[in-house]
Amino acid sequence: MSTTQAPFALRGHNPDVLTCIANLSNDEVFTPPEMAGAMLDLLAQRWADANDGADIWANPNVTFLDPFTKSGVFLREITRRLTDGLYRVFPDRTERVDHILARQVFGIGITQLTALLARRSVYCSKYANGPHSIATSFDSQDGNIWFQRTEHTWTGGTREYRADPLTGDETVVYTHRKCRYCGASEDSYNRGDQLETHAYAFIHTDDINARIRELFGDTMQFDVIIGNPPYQLGSDGGTRDVPIYQHFVEQAKRLEPRYLTMVIPSRWMATGLGLNDFRKTMLNDTHIRDLVDYPNAAEVFSEVGINGGACYFLWDLNYDGRCNVTSIWGGEKTGPELRQLNEFDILVRDARALPILRKVIAHGEPSVNSILARDKEFGWTSNFTGYHSVPKPGDVPLYYIKSMKRRTGYIAREEVTKSPELIDTWKLLVPEVGSGRERERTGVDLVLGPSLMAPSPSVCTQSFLFFYAQTEPEIRSIRSYYATRFFRFLVSLRKITQHATHSTYQWVPLQTWDQEWTDADLYAKYDLTQDEIDCIESRIRLMELADE
């Protein structure tokens, strides 16, 4: 064994280097040391709760895995705490550190670069067995931070027949395939040997337990799994990213650790492409003991835009009950509030909204989305151009948005083949992409974009959703309701990003359309207290209605 190992040192620099490195992208986000520390503080508290006040950092047998390590911040912080906590068990610091690194702390790199970075953070050397490493008993360069290139497993696709250029024989090939594990597109991620595959080893396996035994030994069972997984993969053409973080959460649960704690985007709480099943699973999982939500992700990830916020949770194998939910917004902490996560089909992030929502739902009224058109109600996408600028006899006005401006064209009535029964209705056009970023920054927002009345007859593209009624007075009544803070507050509970879809309006109750609605009318109807009114008005800005 070499005796030229470097002396022990962790976080011995000011500023901390891990607060200075740039994020890889909004897919693979480095965790700030402060957030990692908060998660470890919560973990230690829950361990003490379950073990008669025992200190997890004084236990030489607890094992930790970060299965998607990037900067190595979690493993480094764990090592630092164990180094302080185990001084009675291993009085000799060199022996203590080596035990921690060889027996307690493990990681799986997500790329070759991040594996090297994690080893540098944890071992103080990119080689675990190098002369500068603070570990003394590793034989391999990797130590306990494993990385090997993993390939996607392509499946499905389109069958094509191609002629062999040499023999002329016809062969069958499959194109546009997807990875069976993560859904990555072969067109985007079959990059050859020179680039990273982004086929993350932790989720590219049918049997994660067998894979872990293969990597770390047959007897390995991790007590704690902790980390910040990759969030998404780019879709074909880069039009819409596909979330993948849910696969890491589900895979980690299959390992049945004592505790699982992860940082993930908050969009799963109400929306997200392909996240419906994951949301149901999370909301019905009574092992989730704590959930800490940041509606404005910039409060923890200042340089990366994560629409809808970010959160971390602590999952406890031996816990079965309600969840402690905490919201941190603009530095203001709400909670922890002990809540049943599956009270509704989505998670209402602000506990102060719950009494208001319960009062509204108790009235048992139909939803306003019963008079709200669906996405692409007339069949045209936002980039539809099959209209003309000068009206012809028999045309109907067509409303659309181009270059962020609302415009009107014209189209022949007979060309409206989808939902023609809605042509001759009065409409309140509402943009499908509404406000949202202001709320993330300040906590106060309009929530929805300004509405536009469209007389009968009329149609529109996908740029708008629309409420419909038979007369102008009814539409004016709907318009007044839409502008109330009460209406937009109920929308905000389901609107976690800028997009306001049909389901976003589900909790807004239907009214009678024989009056101009005001917030005072609605506060009185639903018997809201002054505290509840203050909650609404502290979150929702006034919306001015321009004359039309």
Side-chain angles (χ1 to χ4, degrees):
M1 187 67 63
S2 171
T3 59
T4 60
Q5 301 285 333
F8 176 77
L10 283 173
R11 298 189 69 180
H13 304 281
N14 187 19
D16 182 356
V17 66
L18 296 190
T19 67
C20 303
I21 57 177
N23 286 289
L24 300 176
S25 65
N26 62 353
D27 306 340
E28 298 167 350
V29 178
F30 290 130
T31 309
E34 295 78 11
M35 187 176 207
M39 294 169 67
L40 291 171
D41 289 344
L42 179 59
L43 169 67
Q45 176 186 334
R46 293 312 182 202
W47 180 276
D49 292 344
N51 292 278
D52 299 322
D55 182 2
I56 190 173
W57 313 119
N59 190 321
N61 300 312
V62 180
T63 52
F64 301 83
L65 172 67
D66 181 348
F68 19 77
T69 187
K70 296 183 285 292
S71 68
V73 63
F74 289 104
L75 301 182
R76 188 193 70 174
E77 293 300 299
I78 290 166
T79 300
R80 183 182 64 82
R81 293 175 184 225
L82 288 171
T83 301
D84 292 340
L86 291 174
Y87 71 95
R88 287 193 177 91
V89 181
F90 300 99
D92 180 79
R93 170 169 279 201
T94 300
E95 180 186 2
R96 190 189 327 153
V97 170
D98 190 64
H99 170 85
I100 293 166
L101 297 179
R103 304 294 181 189
Q104 293 188 263
V105 175
F106 299 80
I108 298 174
I110 62 171
T111 64
Q112 184 174 13
L113 172 64
T114 58
L116 291 171
L117 180 57
R119 292 182 197 120
R120 180 64 182 83
S121 298
V122 178
Y123 305 137
C124 300
S125 169
K126 67 178 180 178
Y127 301 124
N129 62 348
H132 301 291
S133 172
I134 59 174
T136 60
S137 61
F138 285 127
D139 295 325
S140 70
Q141 294 181 347
D142 293 350
N144 282 336
I145 300 177
W146 178 93
F147 174 77
Q148 287 182 12
R149 181 184 176 91
T150 302
E151 301 293 338
H152 293 282
T153 302
W154 309 118
T155 187
T158 303
R159 185 169 63 178
E160 296 182 2
Y161 295 92
R162 295 180 181 175
D164 188 297
L166 297 178
T167 65
D169 294 339
E170 192 172 63
T171 59
V172 176
V173 297
Y174 289 86
T175 61
H176 310 304
R177 295 180 295 177
K178 304 285 186 182
C179 176
R180 63 179 291 234
Y181 295 109
C182 69
S185 164
E186 182 180 21
D187 297 342
S188 300
Y189 288 93
N190 190 12
R191 300 170 164 181
D193 297 334
Q194 300 304 312
L195 297 175
E196 293 282 359
T197 64
H198 296 283
Y200 304 110
F202 192 67
I203 61 174
H204 282 71
T205 176
D206 292 318
D207 188 339
I208 186 58
N209 286 280
R211 187 68 169 132
I212 290 297
R213 290 194 296 270
E214 177 186 341
L215 298 185
F216 299 116
D218 289 342
T219 61
M220 181 55 67
Q221 171 65 41
F222 291 105
D223 298 297
V224 177
I225 296 178
I226 185 170
N228 182 0
Y231 295 161
Q232 59 201 25
L233 290 174
S235 63
D236 294 341
T239 56
R240 192 173 186 186
D241 293 328
V242 179
I244 59 171
Y245 59 87
Q246 70 276 16
H247 302 313
F248 292 93
V249 176
E250 292 161 348
Q251 198 78 304
K253 289 180 181 179
R254 293 185 184 104
L255 289 173
E256 296 187 334
R258 179 67 177 80
Y259 294 99
L260 165 64
T261 180
M262 281 193 199
V263 185
I264 58 175
S266 296
R267 296 182 69 170
W268 66 269
M269 297 176 183
T271 185
L273 180 66
L275 293 177
N276 288 344
D277 289 342
F278 178 68
R279 176 165 48 256
K280 291 176 184 176
T281 298
M282 291 288 282
L283 295 182
N284 286 287
D285 191 340
T286 54
H287 296 299
I288 299 177
R289 187 166 183 173
D290 297 275
L291 177 63
V292 179
D293 180 32
Y294 293 83
N296 179 10
E299 293 192 48
V300 284
F301 300 115
S302 59
E303 297 180 359
V304 181
I306 303 175
N307 291 336
C311 67
Y312 65 85
F313 66 89
L314 185 137
W315 182 93
D316 183 339
L317 180 66
N318 295 326
Y319 181 75
D320 183 13
R322 292 185 292 171
C323 178
N324 294 286
V325 180
T326 302
S327 179
I328 301 174
W329 200 346
E332 180 184 354
K333 180 179 178 181
T334 303
E337 179 98 7
L338 197 61
R339 292 175 54 186
Q340 183 177 322
L341 294 183
N342 65 353
E343 180 177 2
F344 304 106
D345 64 314
I346 67 164
L347 182 66
V348 177
R349 301 170 82 174
D350 190 345
R352 291 171 294 184
L354 290 172
I356 303 171
L357 178 60
R358 289 168 183 150
K359 285 181 178 180
V360 172
I361 289 177
H363 278 246
E365 296 165 310
S367 170
V368 75
N369 67 11
S370 62
I371 59 166
L372 177 65
R374 296 281 179 177
D375 181 55
K376 291 188 293 187
E377 185 68 50
F378 293 111
W380 302 312
T381 61
S382 297
N383 59 2
F384 175 67
T385 59
Y387 51 83
H388 37 272
S389 57
V390 178
K392 301 176 183 178
D395 280 356
V396 295
L398 180 143
Y399 293 82
Y400 63 98
I401 296 176
K402 185 176 182 180
S403 301
M404 300 183 69
K405 292 185 178 180
R406 299 179 178 198
R407 305 172 188 267
T408 306
Y410 300 90
I411 193 167
R413 179 182 287 265
E414 57 268 21
E415 292 188 37
V416 185
T417 58
K418 184 179 179 185
S419 304
E421 70 280 2
L422 294 179
I423 297 175
D424 295 308
T425 59
W426 279 77
K427 300 171 183 68
L428 186 73
L429 305 176
V430 295
E432 192 170 26
V433 178
S435 183
R437 294 193 183 278
E438 183 180 4
R439 180 173 53 149
E440 289 186 352
R441 292 194 307 270
T442 68
V444 184
D445 192 22
L446 284 170
V447 180
L448 299 168
S451 62
L452 175 66
M453 288 199 307
S456 171
S458 55
V459 292
C460 64
T461 70
Q462 185 188 19
S463 297
F464 296 100
L465 297 178
F466 62 90
F467 296 95
Y468 51 89
Q470 296 303 313
T471 67
E472 179 180 358
E474 289 176 306
I475 281 297
R476 289 194 176 275
S477 178
I478 294 171
R479 180 170 174 255
S480 68
Y481 186 39
Y482 177 88
T484 63
R485 281 171 155 155
F486 175 86
F487 182 106
R488 290 177 287 121
F489 177 78
L490 293 173
V491 170
S492 75
L493 302 183
R494 299 185 69 91
K495 182 178 175 289
I496 202 167
T497 66
Q498 285 184 289
H499 289 272
T501 62
H502 190 273
S503 64
T504 305
Y505 296 84
Q506 181 175 320
W507 284 336
V508 181
L510 199 66
Q511 307 295 340
T512 57
W513 309 127
D514 55 1
Q515 69 177 83
E516 293 285 308
W517 287 98
T518 67
D519 277 310
D521 297 329
L522 296 162
Y523 296 159
K525 176 179 177 178
Y526 294 99
D527 194 26
L528 301 191
T529 67
Q530 189 59 51
D531 284 346
E532 292 165 348
I533 293 170
D534 292 343
C535 175
I536 293 175
E537 297 192 349
S538 68
R539 291 298 190 200
I540 310 299
R541 280 178 50 195
L542 281 172
M543 177 180 280
E544 300 293 337
L545 286 179
D547 293 334
E548 297 189 21

